[in-house]
Amino acid sequence: GRTYVAGRVADGSVWVRAIGSGGFGWTALGGGVVGRPAIALREPDVVHIFANSPSGYIYQNDKYGSAGWSGWSITPNGACCAKADSSPL
């Protein structure tokens, strides 16, 4: 299995890395987010990353198997659960 690590750098972009079982180097996901990103794994190869936008929405970026990352989109009801200055989960 793989372990995923994600972090936000000074310009607000999110970077992610898979570690273990032939994991890859760091991948830039872009963003412009605030706070710390959070990761949720569903099944071995389904990864969801959540992060707060400066406007207070929760953004989501998904990876399904060997496909690339989906790109950031607003999570359904994404403004309901977090403030822009807090971590998403």
Side-chain angles (χ1 to χ4, degrees):
R2 288 192 179 124
T3 299
Y4 285 85
V5 178
R8 180 183 59 92
V9 297
D11 69 358
S13 63
V14 175
W15 288 72
V16 64
R17 181 175 185 176
I19 301 171
S21 295
F24 308 102
W26 288 97
T27 300
L29 300 180
V33 303
V34 295
R36 295 173 295 212
I39 298 174
L41 298 174
R42 225 184 61 207
E43 303 170 16
D45 290 325
V46 178
V47 184
H48 306 284
I49 296 183
F50 300 92
N52 284 318
S53 75
S55 58
Y57 290 100
I58 298 174
Y59 282 152
Q60 180 175 342
N61 201 331
D62 308 304
K63 184 173 185 351
Y64 296 92
S66 61
W69 290 92
S70 64
W72 294 104
S73 61
I74 295 175
T75 301
N77 299 316
C80 72
C81 306
K83 297 179 182 175
D85 61 352
S86 66
S87 64
L89 300 175

